[in-house]
Amino acid sequence: MQLTAALPPPPKDTEEVQRVEHTRLRRRLLYSCYETDLDAMIRRAVGNVRSDAWKPLDLTANPYLSIWQQTAVLYDSAPAVAGSEAVAAALVEAGAWSLMQRVQRDTLGLREMLVRVAVDASGCVTIRPVFPDMVQVEVAPGDPSRPVKVKEWLRDPELGWVRHVYDIGNPAAPYYAAFTASGEDVSEQVLGQSFAGDAYPFRLADGTPILPWVVYHAAQTATVFDPYTMREVVEGSLMLGVYLTFFGHVLRDSSWPQRYVIGARVLGADVVDGQGNVLAGRREVVTDPATLLEMELDPTYTGQPLVGQWAASADPAKMLEAISMYERRVLTLAGIQAPEVTRQDADIRSGYSLAVSREQVRTLQRVYEPQFRRGDLQTIAIVATLLNRATGTAYPESPADYRITYTGLPKSSAERLGELAEIKARTEAGLVGPVTAYIELNPGTPYPEAFSAVVSARLEQSAVNEAVASAGSAPEAASAGGPTLVAEAASASAGTPVVELDTSE
């Protein structure tokens, strides 16, 4: 991850340079490497002299990291993939879903993330996340959702920065090549051979070339990259660091009464040179409760000496409260409403950490899920395609052939009971049908599957009621010591043999 090490050559296009630089700022926030950025912002705000007096920097609050860390829960539990058990197993073996926990967080923070899919000759799948500031992407004319060219910077141990280029803009002449920063083709040296024309390895079963890349988006837009959305949250997170750094300075240096003296001076505070001359500048003396401060009259002052003090220049508690309100504002800019943010302690002076409520996380997750579902289905299809080419299998190669179901953030017992009571009330009022209610309780379930589940549940309940009624109307069963329950209706509805449960003794 290139954050502070040598970086690849900048793009030639001015807009691309701005996109790359801002994306790297977001990366530094997401990976807690923003000390230099915070120092630069403080210097812009108050100048170099005051900035030096405020040190050390306070890096303890980073809302930009906290927001996306708390809301990226779609992959906390591995999703279920339907369409091919072998492809699903290959993704699990590759650690795709564990990796996607970080990919989702970075996608939300950077607005885009890319994934490079690779399969070796033995069928081993590799999923490699790539940051958007390390690539340039070109899309098909009129279709910003379909990349046709990807250029990625990778560092070669011998050649330095090398740009890997994947191009299917001309389906008749696709290519995969490597170039140095100066434009020299080094495909033979880096890739082992030239992958152009018929040698291009990434193809569907019918020969159509594809890119082994998937672009994940935080939101569907009309452009490939959306780098500046929520820039206010980026700036707010850095500004919060400025305020907290100032708070630390106030707490250390300005939260007590300032004493002063007129017409006297402290002995030993003067700084003298080797000849005994008093040097101009700041005078210092170390004080302590166990020491006696010795003073003398200032010979240049003719009046009565005076000692006094001013009140503390700032109230740390009120300052921290104001900073906490600012933090809540930053969260609101990220789409998290203030009422949905709960303080971890009721006392405002206990700290400034804020926690996002579980319901707000789920609300945001429902917004993000369609985008990640689209990306995941593309990833699954590419994995299947490359497995087919590498191992000769015949897995489905279209995203439409697969289905993925997310678990998301699990609900607490109280939340489940509350949701069930609400849906029950709506069902009894005739506002929703049983199939719709089932889908609300089990998000992502297709309607035919939900309909079948509701029918099975009704048949099962009917069979149980009938069996109970039959058992209650058979006096000889009671006299024999227990009822005989015959689940004929349930067995018939399920297409299974009749099962008799005899509990008599």
Side-chain angles (χ1 to χ4, degrees), residues 112-130:
E112 274 80 31
M113 274 290 289
L114 291 88
V115 166
R116 168 67 162 90
V117 180
V119 177
D120 62 20
S122 65
C124 180
V125 177
T126 301
I127 306 294
R128 179 169 61 88
V130 179

Side-chain angles (χ1 to χ4, degrees), residues 38-354:
L38 178 57
D39 183 64
M41 178 166 279
I42 293 176
R43 291 184 183 278
R44 289 197 304 269
V46 300
N48 293 332
V49 176
R50 292 176 63 189
S51 174
D52 292 337
W54 285 16
K55 299 291 180 65
L57 302 177
D58 192 318
L59 304 173
T60 58
N62 184 355
Y64 201 73
L65 170 61
S66 177
I67 290 167
W68 309 128
Q69 191 76 45
Q70 292 186 65
T71 55
V73 298
L74 192 62
Y75 302 92
D76 282 4
S77 297
V81 176
S84 172
E85 293 185 3
V87 174
L91 287 164
V92 172
E93 184 68 22
W97 307 127
S98 298
L99 194 64
M100 284 302 298
Q101 295 177 11
R102 179 60 61 87
V103 171
Q104 186 192 14
R105 189 202 72 175
D106 291 351
T107 302
L108 298 179
L110 305 178
R111 306 305 296 171
E112 274 80 31
M113 274 290 289
L114 291 88
V115 166
R116 168 67 162 90
V117 180
V119 177
D120 62 20
S122 65
C124 180
V125 177
T126 301
I127 306 294
R128 179 169 61 88
V130 179
F131 297 106
D133 58 280
M134 301 299 290
V135 300
Q136 286 182 279
V137 178
E138 297 179 13
V139 298
D143 187 359
S145 65
R146 187 170 72 87
V148 295
K149 189 173 185 179
V150 175
K151 297 183 285 187
E152 179 194 11
W153 284 110
L154 287 175
R155 192 168 183 84
D156 185 87
E158 297 180 0
L159 301 174
W161 287 107
V162 174
R163 172 161 278 184
H164 292 238
V165 181
Y166 308 73
D167 191 344
I168 61 170
N170 181 2
Y175 68 88
Y176 168 36
F179 303 90
T180 63
S182 62
E184 179 186 357
D185 190 335
V186 290
S187 301
E188 295 284 347
Q189 183 176 348
V190 175
L191 307 178
Q193 69 176 85
S194 176
F195 295 101
D198 294 339
Y200 186 77
F202 314 113
R203 298 178 182 270
L204 296 173
D206 60 4
T208 303
I210 64 170
L211 292 176
W213 289 87
V214 178
V215 182
Y216 282 84
H217 300 275
Q220 192 67 21
T221 64
T223 58
V224 183
F225 295 117
D226 181 31
Y228 303 112
T229 295
M230 295 191 181
R231 184 170 187 170
E232 300 84 357
V233 186
V234 176
E235 299 295 332
S237 296
L238 285 174
M239 190 56 68
L240 182 64
V242 173
Y243 295 153
L244 287 173
T245 300
F246 180 56
F247 168 77
H249 167 60
V250 168
L251 191 64
R252 291 189 304 270
D253 304 326
S254 306
S255 59
W256 59 81
Q258 175 64 53
R259 296 175 178 86
Y260 62 87
V261 61
I262 299 176
R265 60 186 183 182
V266 179
L267 292 178
D270 292 330
V271 179
V272 298
D273 60 14
Q275 286 73 38
N277 300 317
V278 177
L279 300 178
R282 183 175 179 178
R283 298 185 295 176
E284 296 183 358
V285 64
V286 179
T287 62
D288 184 85
T291 63
L292 180 64
L293 190 63
E294 187 177 2
M295 306 187 72
E296 65 178 354
L297 292 175
D298 187 345
T300 63
Y301 185 74
T302 58
Q304 178 68 28
L306 178 65
V307 176
Q309 72 175 25
W310 290 299
S313 59
D315 185 339
K318 290 183 178 179
M319 178 178 290
L320 188 58
E321 182 177 358
I323 293 174
S324 298
M325 293 175 63
Y326 183 86
E327 185 178 15
R328 293 170 72 92
R329 179 172 176 269
V330 172
L331 292 174
T332 302
L333 291 172
I336 299 174
Q337 299 302 317
E340 299 294 343
V341 180
T342 56
R343 191 168 299 281
Q344 293 178 347
D345 193 293
D347 189 349
I348 187 66
R349 293 167 295 180
S350 66
Y352 42 78
S353 297
L354 301 176

Side-chain angles (χ1 to χ4, degrees), residues 17 33 35 95-96 103 110 122-123 150 316 354 367 380 449 484 488 490:
V17 171
C33 296
E35 183 173 0
V103 171
L110 305 178
S122 65
V150 175
L354 301 176
V367 174
I380 295 168
E449 184 178 325
T484 301
E488 295 182 356

